[in-house]
Amino acid sequence: MKTNESLLAERNQHIPQGLFNVHPIFAEKARGAIITDVEGKEYIDFAGGIGVNNVGHCDDEVLKAVQDQIQKYIHTCFHVVMYEPYVELAKKLNQITPGNFPKKTMFANSGAEGVENAIKIARHATGRTGTIAFEDAFHGRTLLALSLTSKMKPYKFGFAPYAPEIYRMPYAYCYRCAFGLEYPSCEIHCAYFLRDFFHTHISAEQVAALIVEPVLGEGGFVVPPREYFKILHKICQDNGIVFIADEVQTGFGRTAKMFAVEHFEVEPDITVMAKSLAGGFPLSAITGRAELMDHPQVGGLGGTFSGNPVACRAALAVLEQFKNLNLLSKAEKIGKKVLEKFREFQEHYPVVGDVRGLGAMVGMELVVDRKTKEPATALTKRLINLCCEKGLLMISAGTHSNIIRPLMPLVITHDQLDEGLKIIGEALDELHQT
Ligand SMILES: Cc1ncc(COP(=O)(O)O)c(C=O)c1O
């Protein structure tokens, strides 16, 4: 029988080091919120394959849809022979994404590809070249998406030159406000700053799109004040700039609404989705105003595997399961419990500098010192490793990798959730004593 150790040795021999691995284990099977490794050890999954398994691992209905589809056909390429699941899913996403206007949807394979297509469409439709992105943003690893991503090491380092015409402004990261202000007396200066930005970085009439995560994912589960996006959106509208919401990580119920922008009451011109859209199958969707989406010429958009029928069928089943399993209200309950527990940790352990969240997207930022807010990067890594040893899988986030970001499947049971939180508490306790 292969062990984690023997597989790791093979992995190291055959696979480049550049592909990071958080945990030294190999999966044998996974169901719901539990992953079993090749040695038979069970782990509670607070990572969800980086936010992909909101409906749980191997959901029965997703499995049924996929099994049915693979008996019929697996790939024809939508550009060669069309198929109904693509059309049906596009129709559904046009209905459920925020925005009370006619919409159209196209599919790609990954979040990064979704982001790239959104930018292409915005450039084509506006005839402009510039894109405004944010500090601490993560939009993917392909070269345009990577250029939009903020974190230098390890993501961008050594991969220059980056795509041109990208301009970056601070995000509404209240715990570490770039302007040294405090909410609410700041009067959301960081959003109105966009107007100054047009004078100092790029003229508004050169900007095709502003792309933003409604809650920073990889950037550390940072939740902006409620007013933030309305202000940004209005400035974009006034200046003919396409407002793109990157809902790749926030989407599909993570924040207890299907899309996080719904909390902020804005209607993006384009919404990008991926991750939990298709229950683990690689699929991204770009949904936007019909007139924008229709702008590029025939053949200007697409890809060989884009909108694979098996992935589309999986996504249709995911949408049904959101209703059947009441996953939005589950997300709310999970979020409440995690927030409560993380706040308890904050009271007990000085290392917990900040706790924040929206729905089940709750983050805990670890610092060496609460006054200086020096990120506790090494300690965060130790915490994650310790939790893994104790049977809980977690990942970190943040430009300094000092934020705990649980992305557990929303089907997690009460007991599993309690046990996972208990393990974090025990690990914090051990680290506190060393
Ligand atoms: C907000 C956001 N956008 C885009 C991406 C890129 O997605 P993918 O890794 O599927 O290319 C991610 C991935 O973590 C993400 O969190």
Side-chain angles (χ1 to χ4, degrees):
M1 193 190 78
K2 301 228 170 173
T3 61
N4 288 315
E5 201 182 336
S6 66
L7 283 167
L8 186 59
E10 289 191 45
R11 177 257 178 263
N12 289 340
Q13 192 181 346
H14 300 293
I15 297 171
Q17 63 159 3
L19 291 110
F20 76 110
N21 303 106
V22 183
H23 303 294
I25 60 165
F26 287 78
E28 176 65 25
K29 59 184 178 186
R31 265 279 193 287
I34 298 292
I35 295 180
T36 310
D37 76 5
V38 287
E39 295 173 13
K41 178 168 172 180
E42 285 191 354
Y43 295 83
I44 299 170
D45 183 12
F46 269 23
I50 320 190
V52 168
N53 294 301
N54 285 0
V55 293
H57 291 277
C58 297
D59 172 79
D60 284 343
E61 294 305 312
V62 171
L63 286 185
K64 261 192 233 158
V66 164
Q67 276 156 359
D68 180 61
Q69 184 57 44
I70 59 178
Q71 300 299 328
K72 293 178 178 164
Y73 54 92
I74 294 172
H75 175 83
T76 63
C77 183
F78 189 71
H79 307 302
V80 179
V81 176
M82 295 176 282
Y83 39 85
E84 194 181 348
Y86 192 116
V87 181
E88 203 183 329
L89 183 61
K91 193 166 138 193
K92 284 248 159 73
L93 294 180
N94 293 339
Q95 286 162 359
I96 65 165
T97 46
N100 190 19
F101 41 74
K103 284 176 234 149
K104 289 196 173 179
T105 290
M106 64 163 284
F107 297 108
N109 302 294
S110 65
E113 245 193 288
V115 164
E116 301 235 354
N117 277 286
I119 302 291
K120 278 171 70 179
I121 291 165
R123 281 186 180 170
H124 202 285
T126 58
R128 304 173 179 181
T129 52
T131 302
I132 296 177
F134 288 80
E135 285 171 14
D136 301 301
F138 186 88
H139 296 293
R141 293 169 180 274
T142 52
L143 262 172
L144 173 56
L146 182 69
S147 307
L148 293 165
T149 289
S150 166
K151 187 167 170 172
M152 281 308 297
K153 282 189 181 174
Y155 302 139
K156 299 179 78 158
F157 183 74
F159 298 122
Y162 311 117
E165 287 303 294
I166 289 167
Y167 301 85
R168 197 174 301 286
M169 59 180 261
Y171 193 80
Y173 193 164
C174 297
Y175 182 63
R176 296 179 185 277
C177 178
F179 302 96
L181 301 172
E182 260 185 45
Y183 180 78
S185 58
C186 64
E187 296 182 349
I188 325 291
H189 173 73
C190 57
Y192 289 111
F193 177 70
L194 178 54
R195 287 190 191 139
D196 299 338
F197 200 80
F198 293 148
H199 297 294
T200 51
H201 288 76
I202 178 171
S203 292
E205 63 266 36
Q206 293 175 291
V207 182
L210 176 143
I211 183 162
V212 67
E213 295 161 82
V215 175
L216 289 182
E218 168 64 25
F221 281 23
V222 177
V223 188
R226 291 293 152 127
E227 308 90 319
Y228 182 62
F229 291 111
K230 266 199 181 147
I231 300 165
L232 288 181
H233 185 248
K234 174 79 172 58
I235 299 173
C236 286
Q237 254 181 340
D238 291 347
N239 290 283
I241 296 167
V242 178
F243 184 98
I244 301 172
D246 181 344
E247 291 262 13
V248 167
Q249 191 157 157
T250 48
F252 278 78
R254 177 53 49 189
T255 68
K257 290 198 189 281
M258 210 59 182
F259 301 98
V261 283
E262 294 174 59
H263 293 279
F264 300 93
E265 295 170 10
V266 293
E267 296 183 342
D269 300 305
I270 297 178
T271 301
V272 183
M273 296 150 265
K275 290 201 186 278
S276 274
L277 164 64
F281 284 83
L283 184 70
S284 57
I286 305 97
T287 301
R289 288 183 184 273
E291 70 272 19
L292 295 178
M293 299 298 291
D294 266 336
H295 209 277
Q297 62 280 8
V298 173
L301 302 171
T304 306
F305 288 114
S306 302
N308 169 271
V310 184
C312 287
R313 285 292 303 275
L316 286 163
V318 165
L319 284 173
E320 283 305 304
Q321 287 300 73
F322 260 88
K323 284 189 251 162
N324 298 339
L325 304 174
N326 238 335
L327 290 185
L328 294 184
S329 94
K330 286 216 167 108
E332 190 161 355
K333 286 182 193 133
I334 291 169
K336 256 191 186 156
K337 189 174 259 188
V338 177
L339 198 64
E340 214 171 88
K341 202 73 199 165
F342 279 10
R343 288 205 170 126
E344 245 175 62
F345 294 153
Q346 192 177 20
E347 275 172 31
H348 281 83
Y349 305 108
V351 71
V352 180
D354 192 35
V355 170
R356 57 212 175 217
L358 189 64
M361 202 162 181
V362 181
M364 179 165 74
E365 177 151 0
L366 305 183
V367 291
V368 173
D369 178 318
R370 282 194 183 172
K371 269 213 184 94
T372 63
K373 298 184 182 176
E374 183 189 333
T377 307
L379 185 128
T380 309
K381 196 164 179 10
R382 275 162 59 209
L383 179 72
I384 285 172
N385 292 344
L386 200 50
C387 286
C388 179
E389 283 168 26
K390 290 170 180 288
L392 174 70
L393 302 175
M394 282 204 308
I395 50 175
S396 66
T399 296
H400 302 285
S401 306
N402 65 318
I403 295 144
I404 296 296
R405 59 158 158 171
L407 285 161
M408 64 286 283
L410 302 175
V411 295
I412 193 165
T413 65
H414 295 298
D415 288 350
Q416 290 162 350
L417 183 60
D418 286 345
E419 179 60 22
L421 292 169
K422 194 173 123 217
I423 290 174
I424 300 176
E426 285 168 7
L428 275 170
D429 216 47
E430 276 181 44
L431 291 173
H432 185 61
Q433 285 165 30
T434 53

